[in-house]
């Protein structure tokens, strides 16, 4: 589409000065920008997120322990622990796989992407196997504490944005 002259202004769209859309930064300028924003945008380790998942699991276990008949360790607490483990174990397995891929001798973008995709597949398969295994092997598991704790631990990644 060809721009048309604005009838309310004397300036034509073709006459506007062009603005520079992109700017190339030097390595020194990027380093200075990173130093300037280092405290504002702190990097967060994935292991810190897994630690937060463990902490959320224990907090959830304490809260669910109130609902048991003898207050303390009960089926509510055990179900909450299982829900947290279903979230933490596959995440730790996935992260361990990525760490091993980084330390590999043949690190290139293709092999790292393959490790990422296969690690995510293993994480999903492990999560499904843990859910099915608990459903069949743990008699009388309480699904509400298990699922609530699982979802709370799973969403710790979202809480990581608040910690930054």
């Amino acid at each position: 589409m060809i721009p048309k002259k604005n009838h309310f202004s004397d300036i034509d769209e073709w006459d506007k000065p062009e603005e520079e859309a992109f700017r190339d930064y030097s390595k020194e300028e990027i380093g200075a920008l990173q130093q300037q924003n280092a405290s504002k945008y702190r990097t967060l380790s994935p292991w810190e997120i897994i630690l937060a998942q463990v902490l959320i699991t224990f907090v959830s276990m304490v809260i669910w322990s109130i609902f048991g008949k003898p207050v303390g360790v009960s089926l509510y607490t055990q179900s909450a622990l299982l829900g947290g483990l279903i979230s933490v174990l596959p995440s730790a397995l996935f992260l361990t796989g990525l760490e091993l891929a980084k330390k590999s001798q043949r690190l290139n973008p293709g092999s790292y992407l393959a490790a990422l995709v296969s690690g995510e597949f293993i994480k999903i398969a492990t999560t499904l196997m843990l859910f099915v295994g608990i459903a069949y092997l743990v008699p009388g598991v309480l699904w509400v504490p298990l699922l609530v704790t699982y979802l709370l631990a799973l969403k710790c990644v979202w809480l990581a944005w608040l910690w930054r």
Side-chain angles (χ1 to χ4, degrees):
M1 182 172 132
I2 298 174
K4 296 182 181 178
K5 185 169 179 126
N6 187 349
H7 297 288
F8 301 107
S9 171
D10 294 334
I11 299 175
D12 193 348
E13 287 185 31
W14 291 101
D15 296 335
K16 290 182 182 176
E18 290 186 27
E19 296 178 13
E20 188 175 315
F22 299 100
R23 180 171 179 251
D24 293 332
Y25 289 99
S26 68
K27 189 174 185 178
E28 292 80 22
E29 289 175 321
I30 290 176
L33 285 172
Q34 287 175 340
Q35 286 292 66
Q36 181 182 7
N37 295 329
S39 63
K40 188 194 287 186
Y41 301 109
R42 185 179 72 90
T43 59
L44 189 64
S45 168
W47 291 108
E48 291 175 352
I49 293 174
I50 290 181
L51 177 64
Q53 287 179 331
V54 170
L55 292 175
I56 288 291
T57 299
F58 284 121
V59 168
S60 180
M61 286 172 57
V62 168
I63 292 171
W64 282 107
S65 70
I66 297 170
F67 294 106
K69 287 299 176 194
V71 175
V73 178
S74 65
L75 195 54
Y76 286 95
T77 310
Q78 293 168 359
S79 297
L81 174 66
L82 290 174
L85 287 177
I86 291 174
S87 177
V88 171
L89 291 178
S91 297
L93 184 66
F94 173 70
L95 190 55
T96 303
L98 284 184
E99 293 291 329
L100 291 174
K102 280 184 193 177
K103 294 177 182 176
S104 172
Q105 296 295 329
R106 296 177 293 152
L107 182 63
N108 60 33
S111 66
Y112 191 72
L113 180 63
L116 183 74
V117 171
S118 64
E120 188 64 32
F121 175 75
I122 291 170
K123 180 180 172 184
I124 292 170
T126 305
T127 303
L128 288 175
M129 286 190 301
L130 285 172
F131 269 118
V132 171
I134 287 173
Y136 281 114
L137 300 176
V138 179
V141 67
L142 300 174
W143 286 98
V144 173
L146 186 137
L147 292 175
V148 167
T149 306
Y150 171 72
L151 290 175
L152 286 174
L154 195 65
K155 297 308 170 195
C156 277
V157 177
W158 290 4
L159 292 176
W161 293 105
L162 298 176
W163 296 330
R164 288 177 48 148

